[in-house]
């Protein structure tokens, strides 16, 4: 038996490798490995990429006489009396212990830790970490952590990492697994993927130093050096990969579609383009007849007319004998596009077909047949457009609406439906132009920075719950004047059934309570397609006074008669998303309003919301959003076309982003295909990062 146990132990040690399954890592095992995998750490190497979200400064050991009220402090003290535990009420214990460090006594208080009378021993010196709840003759500390000190051991402080956790994991378990992973890294060794010249030129720390000190920093100076190196890496690889993607595409020939008359298109459209729309349309037209594949991003604020520009490009394509496809992120938006565009395309003799995943079987068969035989010139749909069943006769142009909701892989899948297919992506999430040029380095950029004439500003107010009765009266007033309103509820997960039940219950309580005299509808992502269509049709036709919705209205519900947008718990949204939601009103001639209800964000939340009250400039709002939200995801859910940024902030790290981009361009001038041996690590890293999104567009 001993021999079998030894054999198994040796087998586990052999299999514990940086790129092996994390379950073989010391202290992890089968059960705990599932929790690590939920965090995105399936291997020890991936765990080392799970950077701490914060750090505790335990570098200074305080004396009891120095403790200040409200501070979280580290104290080295000796236990002077046994732990005293009492039961406050059923299921709740209160443990107290008195300690001394020579400068005074302190009382330590622990909740629900009855085992402490065995863990904490009289006469032993410990390091205690906790918040000071009371000062005076005998200060009171509420420790969250304690560590025994050996006899004669001098207490030293440390900087402790705080990791993101998953169900089944404790902070200590993650820290222990990271420590084991660092041991593996040291044993197996790591080659710095960046060449020495680049590291020296950019004054960067070595990669091994950065990984060690992002997890176990010996000082805050070391932590700063580690963060700078890892942030540079993220931005460098992102910039390099996007530049390479763009280079690959620039070398490809595209089908030539001769220009058409923009003025004639405007006549059929029924209105004239703004100067900014005209510039974007001419950019697209020039791309389509250039002989090179178009890969263009048209970026514009809410209601700036991006879809009309895309329609012009689609007409140019279809009149040349090819097909055009517009892929929208939601079924509601796809249907809206199809309804609006069909008459315009019919005037050119072009048939429009709608294709969504939840269409009735017969309608879907007919749509797929029209796509396959080429009788459908324009195809408008959701992800169904890139499904295996959708076969195009001659796809010439792909339009992806709401670019940040589609990844590079999805765009590539749709583009692959045709031969030498042109690509046009649209985004209503404006970001500063200089940042766009870097973030969307694989796309040419056109910006629509004008709104159509005649659009009135939307009056925006940020209020708290004390305004509830006034909000209710204002909603009723809008209805009495013949206008309609939205109430938007925040959602953590658009696919979570429990959340939809709560939204439904809230809508019902409004319909039966404050708004019982109004006609109230509800819209959310879990409704069946026919239900969504019925609700949106009823709202658009004026059969509903009030639409209670999740953020599904962010894209796709267009009603010029809607004049009021109320956003509940607005502090939970990013500013750019709030701006998108606000854009659902103000589409008609009547004065429109947006009320942002701060339900729990306090003064910080109120300050953020005031940005919306002061500005309707989407680019300025986006800039402030980047500043205020800091590191993390600017788009709410991870930016789909880009590698994830774990440490870098596209707001505060702009200087480093510029350096990384310049370094990427310089390196590609020297070695366009990364074939030099010194660039092997970089090439492997680029392939690893971008391959998750660009199957078929790897850099090997």
């Amino acid at each position: 038996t001993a021999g079998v146990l030894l054999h198994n132990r040796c087998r586990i040690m052999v299999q514990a490798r940086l790129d092996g399954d994390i379950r073989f890592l010391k202290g992890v095992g089968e059960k705990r490995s599932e929790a690590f995998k939920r965090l995105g750490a399936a291997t020890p190497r991936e765990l080392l990429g799970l950077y701490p979200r914060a750090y505790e400064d335990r570098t200074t050991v305080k004396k009891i006489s120095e403790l200040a009220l409200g501070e979280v402090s580290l104290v080295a003290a000796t236990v002077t009396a046994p732990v005293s535990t009492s039961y406050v009420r059923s299921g709740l214990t209160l443990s107290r212990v008195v300690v001394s460090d020579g400068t005074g006594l302190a009382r330590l208080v622990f909740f629900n830790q009855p085992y402490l009378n065995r863990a904490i021993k009289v006469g032993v010196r410990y390091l205690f970490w906790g918040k000071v709840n009371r000062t005076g003759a005998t200060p009171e500390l509420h420790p969250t952590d304690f560590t025994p000190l050996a006899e004669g051991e001098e207490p030293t402080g440390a900087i402790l990492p705080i990791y993101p956790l998953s169900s089944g994991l404790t902070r200590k378990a993650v820290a222990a697994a990271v420590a084991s992973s660092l041991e593996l890294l040291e044993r197996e060794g790591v080659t710095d993927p960046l060449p020495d010249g680049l590291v020296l030129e950019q004054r960067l720390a070595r990669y091994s130093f950065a990984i060690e000190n992002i997890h176990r920093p010996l000082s805050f100076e070391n932590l700063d050096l580690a963060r700078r190196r890892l942030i540079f890496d993220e931005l460098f690889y992102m910039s390099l990969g996007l530049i390479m993607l763009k280079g690959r595409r620039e070398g490809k020939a595209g089908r030539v579609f001769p220009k058409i008359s923009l003025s004639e298109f405007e006549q059929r459209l029924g209105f004239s383009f703004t100067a900014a729309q005209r510039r974007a349309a001419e950019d697209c037209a020039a791309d389509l007849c250039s002989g090179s594949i178009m890969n263009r991003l048209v970026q514009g604020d809410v209601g700036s007319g991006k879809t009309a520009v895309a329609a012009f490009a689609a007409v140019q394509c279809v009149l040349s004998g090819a097909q055009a496809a517009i892929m929208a992120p939601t079924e509601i938006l796809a249907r809206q596009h199809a309804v609006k565009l069909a008459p315009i395309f019919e005037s050119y003799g072009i048939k429009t077909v709608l294709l969504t995943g939840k269409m009735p079987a017969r309608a879907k068969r007919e749509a797929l047949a029209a796509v396959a035989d080429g009788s459908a010139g324009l195809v408008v749909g959701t992800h169904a457009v890139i499904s295996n069943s959708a076969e195009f006769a001659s796809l010439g142009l792909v339009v992806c609406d709401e670019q940040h909701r589609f990844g590079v892989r999805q765009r590539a899948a749709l583009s692959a439906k045709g031969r030498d297919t042109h690509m046009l992506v649209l985004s209503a999430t404006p970001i500063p132009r200089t940042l766009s040029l870097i973030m969307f380095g694989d796309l040419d950029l056109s910006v629509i920075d004008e709104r159509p004439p005649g659009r009135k500003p939307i009056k925006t107010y940020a209020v708290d719950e004390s305004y509830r009765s006034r909000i209710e009266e204002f909603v009723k007033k809008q209805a009495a004047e013949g206008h309609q309103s939205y109430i938007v509820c925040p959602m953590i997960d658009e696919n979570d059934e429990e959340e939809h039940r709560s939204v439904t219950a809230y809508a019902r309580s409004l319909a039966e309570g404050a708004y019982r005299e109004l006609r109230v509808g509800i819209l959310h992502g879990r409704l069946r397609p026919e239900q969504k269509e019925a609700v949106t049709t009823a709202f658009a036709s004026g059969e509903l006074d009030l639409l209670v919705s999740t953020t599904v209205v962010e894209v796709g519900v267009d009603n010029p008669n809607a004049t009021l947008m109320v956003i509940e718990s607005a502090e939970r949204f990013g500013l750019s998303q709030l701006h998108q939601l606000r854009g659902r009103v103000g589409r008609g001639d009547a004065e429109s309003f947006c009320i942002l209800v701060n339900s729990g964000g306090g003064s910080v939340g109120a300050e953020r919301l005031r940005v919306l009250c002061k500005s309707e400039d989407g680019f300025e709002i986006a800039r402030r959003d980047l500043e205020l939200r800091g590191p993390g995801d600017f788009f709410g859910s991870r930016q789909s076309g880009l590698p994830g940024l774990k440490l870098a902030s596209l707001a505060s790290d702009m200087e480093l982003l510029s350096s990384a981009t310049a370094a990427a361009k310089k390196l590609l001038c020297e070695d366009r295909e990364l074939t030099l041996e010194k660039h092997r690590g970089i090439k492997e890293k680029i392939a690893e990062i971008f391959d998750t999104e660009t199957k078929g567009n790897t850099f090997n």
Side-chain angles (χ1 to χ4, degrees):
T1 305
V4 172
L5 288 174
L6 181 61
H7 171 76
N8 287 341
R9 187 173 179 184
C10 289
R11 180 176 58 83
I12 290 173
M13 287 176 67
V14 166
Q15 292 184 351
R17 294 286 182 262
L18 274 173
D19 294 309
D21 195 305
I22 199 167
R23 73 179 187 273
F24 298 118
L25 192 65
K26 183 174 67 178
V28 175
E30 193 75 42
K31 185 176 179 181
R32 195 174 279 172
S33 70
E34 294 305 313
F36 277 107
K37 288 172 183 176
R38 285 196 294 273
L39 286 176
T43 68
R45 191 184 300 277
E46 289 177 350
L47 180 59
L48 291 178
L50 182 73
Y51 303 137
R53 60 179 175 83
Y55 298 86
E56 283 180 350
D57 182 2
R58 301 191 187 185
T59 54
T60 304
V61 181
K62 286 277 188 83
K63 298 184 183 302
I64 289 176
S65 60
E66 298 172 340
L67 295 179
L69 184 65
E71 282 188 354
V72 180
S73 300
L74 186 67
V75 174
T78 303
V79 177
T80 61
V83 175
S84 169
T85 300
S86 58
Y87 290 88
V88 180
R89 60 175 183 271
S90 178
L92 178 64
T93 62
L94 185 67
S95 300
R96 295 183 178 89
V97 62
V98 176
V99 298
S100 170
D101 70 349
T103 70
L105 298 176
R107 181 179 293 107
L108 311 183
V109 178
F110 301 85
F111 293 97
N112 277 350
Q113 297 181 59
Y115 62 85
L116 289 177
N117 56 1
R118 298 188 305 275
I120 294 180
K121 296 178 173 57
V122 177
V124 176
R125 197 171 179 226
Y126 295 85
L127 271 176
F128 296 100
W129 169 260
K131 186 175 182 179
V132 180
N133 247 36
R134 193 168 63 229
T135 53
T138 307
E140 184 177 281
L141 193 73
H142 289 196
T144 57
D145 196 11
F146 62 92
T147 307
L149 292 168
E151 189 173 346
E153 180 184 353
E154 283 302 312
T156 56
I159 302 169
L160 263 62
I162 301 174
Y163 292 97
L165 299 178
S166 174
S167 176
L169 288 178
T170 63
R171 181 173 163 181
K172 286 185 176 179
V174 176
V178 168
S180 296
S181 298
L182 287 169
E183 289 175 17
L184 277 178
L185 184 72
E186 186 176 352
R187 189 193 316 158
E188 293 187 13
V190 59
T191 302
D192 197 322
L194 298 187
D196 291 344
L198 179 57
V199 172
L200 291 171
E201 182 182 282
Q202 296 294 328
R203 293 183 296 175
L204 301 172
R206 292 291 177 187
Y207 181 72
S208 55
F209 174 93
I211 287 295
E212 173 73 30
N213 281 274
I214 200 70
H215 291 289
R216 295 191 299 201
L218 295 177
S219 67
F220 282 104
E221 290 77 15
N222 282 10
L223 178 58
D224 287 342
L225 289 171
R227 280 182 55 84
R228 186 177 185 276
R229 166 61 199 261
L230 295 174
I231 288 171
F232 179 89
D233 281 9
E234 287 184 357
L235 299 174
F236 175 75
Y237 294 135
M238 179 184 77
S239 300
L240 191 65
L242 290 174
I243 294 168
M244 291 180 74
L245 275 176
K246 187 173 184 178
R248 297 274 197 275
R249 291 167 182 162
E250 284 176 342
K252 291 184 178 179
R255 297 162 71 178
V256 175
F257 300 135
K259 289 185 178 181
I260 63 171
S261 169
L262 180 55
S263 58
E264 181 185 341
F265 178 79
E266 289 174 322
Q267 288 175 4
R268 294 172 190 257
L269 195 63
F271 59 84
S272 297
F273 276 5
T274 63
Q277 279 179 300
R278 184 173 286 273
R279 286 194 301 271
E282 288 170 350
D283 286 344
C284 293
D287 287 346
L288 292 174
C289 67
S290 68
S292 297
I293 287 183
M294 172 170 75
N295 282 284
R296 182 166 294 278
L297 169 66
V298 173
Q299 193 179 70
D301 212 341
V302 177
S304 60
K306 299 177 298 299
T307 306
V309 171
F312 173 69
V315 169
Q316 180 176 343
C317 166
V318 181
L319 288 181
S320 298
Q323 292 169 292
I326 297 178
M327 187 164 68
T330 67
E331 185 163 350
I332 294 173
L333 186 57
R335 288 181 179 277
Q336 178 183 302
H337 282 337
V339 169
K340 284 190 170 184
L341 296 177
I344 302 166
F345 280 75
E346 281 176 15
S347 71
Y348 283 99
I350 298 169
K351 179 181 178 180
T352 300
V353 163
L354 175 68
L355 182 60
T356 67
K358 297 179 181 177
M359 291 172 67
R362 181 177 176 181
K364 184 182 284 188
R365 281 197 304 271
E366 292 175 353
L368 288 171
V371 172
D373 65 24
S375 59
L378 176 67
V379 182
V380 182
T382 56
H383 289 78
V385 176
I386 60 174
S387 66
N388 292 332
S389 57
E391 296 182 3
F392 287 79
S394 179
L395 182 61
L397 171 67
V398 167
V399 178
C400 286
D401 200 359
E402 290 304 316
Q403 119 79 18
H404 69 276
R405 294 168 183 249
F406 295 110
V408 175
R409 182 172 55 180
Q410 290 166 313
R411 300 203 306 259
L414 185 50
S415 180
K417 293 284 184 180
R419 177 181 58 83
D420 303 333
T421 310
H422 296 279
M423 176 70 71
L424 175 62
V425 292
L426 312 177
S427 177
T429 306
I431 57 176
R433 186 181 180 95
T434 52
L435 189 55
S436 292
L437 293 170
I438 299 170
M439 283 182 64
F440 302 114
D442 62 327
L443 300 167
D444 295 313
L445 179 66
S446 295
V447 176
I448 303 178
D449 51 9
E450 289 179 74
R451 299 184 71 184
R455 285 280 178 93
K456 294 182 178 179
I458 302 167
K459 294 185 176 180
T460 305
Y461 304 93
V463 302
D464 57 29
E465 287 292 342
S466 66
Y467 282 76
R468 180 63 61 187
S469 60
R470 294 174 64 178
I471 293 171
E472 291 169 355
E473 290 304 314
F474 196 52
V475 171
K476 294 173 187 176
K477 180 175 181 287
Q478 295 301 305
E481 293 176 356
H483 298 303
Q484 295 158 280
S485 304
Y486 297 95
I487 293 182
V488 173
C489 305
M491 293 284 291
I492 298 171
D493 182 359
E494 187 60 56
N495 294 312
D496 188 276
E497 189 171 347
E498 185 177 336
E499 290 200 330
H500 283 103
R501 280 200 295 268
S502 68
V503 171
T504 303
Y506 180 60
R508 188 178 299 116
S509 70
L510 293 179
E512 295 172 355
Y515 305 120
R516 58 184 173 273
E517 298 170 3
L518 304 184
R519 298 166 296 171
V520 180
I522 181 167
L523 183 67
H524 58 69
R526 292 294 285 268
L527 292 177
R528 295 192 302 274
E530 61 271 20
Q531 292 174 314
K532 290 179 187 174
E533 186 173 6
V535 172
T536 53
T537 300
F539 190 62
S541 63
E543 297 172 30
L544 298 174
D545 301 306
L546 174 62
L547 184 60
V548 181
S549 174
T550 63
T551 53
V552 73
V553 299
E554 181 185 354
V555 288
V557 178
D558 189 4
N559 184 356
N561 191 49
T563 55
L564 174 60
M565 169 67 70
V566 179
I567 303 176
E568 301 286 0
S569 301
E571 76 281 356
R572 293 173 61 180
F573 296 93
L575 297 184
S576 293
Q577 189 175 24
L578 290 172
H579 180 58
Q580 289 265 51
L581 289 166
R582 174 171 62 179
R584 294 299 103 199
V585 297
R587 292 172 171 252
D589 297 328
E591 190 172 41
S592 296
F593 309 87
C594 179
I595 299 176
L596 308 170
V597 184
N598 183 2
S599 300
S603 58
V604 175
E607 176 61 30
R608 288 181 63 250
L609 298 181
R610 275 194 284 273
V611 173
L612 271 295
C613 301
K614 295 175 182 176
S615 177
E616 276 197 88
D617 182 341
F619 290 89
E620 172 61 20
I621 289 167
R623 185 186 67 78
R624 293 287 289 137
D625 201 6
L626 282 165
E627 287 178 2
L628 291 166
R629 295 175 76 178
D633 188 5
F634 170 61
F635 292 100
S637 58
R638 191 179 72 81
Q639 165 62 31
S640 291
L642 299 172
L645 299 177
K646 297 176 182 178
L647 292 175
S649 163
L650 293 174
S652 57
D653 296 319
M654 278 295 289
E655 186 176 339
L656 206 53
L657 177 57
S658 297
S659 298
T661 303
K665 290 177 179 177
K666 181 180 178 181
L667 184 141
L668 289 175
C669 286
E670 176 190 348
D671 183 12
R672 186 71 185 174
E673 298 298 323
L674 301 181
T675 54
L676 296 178
E677 179 61 28
K678 65 179 181 178
H679 296 152
R680 179 194 289 182
I682 295 176
K683 186 173 184 178
E684 290 174 352
K685 194 70 178 174
I686 292 291
E688 172 194 328
I689 293 171
F690 279 82
D691 191 43
T692 59
E693 284 287 338
T694 59
K695 303 296 183 185
N697 275 307
T698 59
F699 299 90
N700 296 318

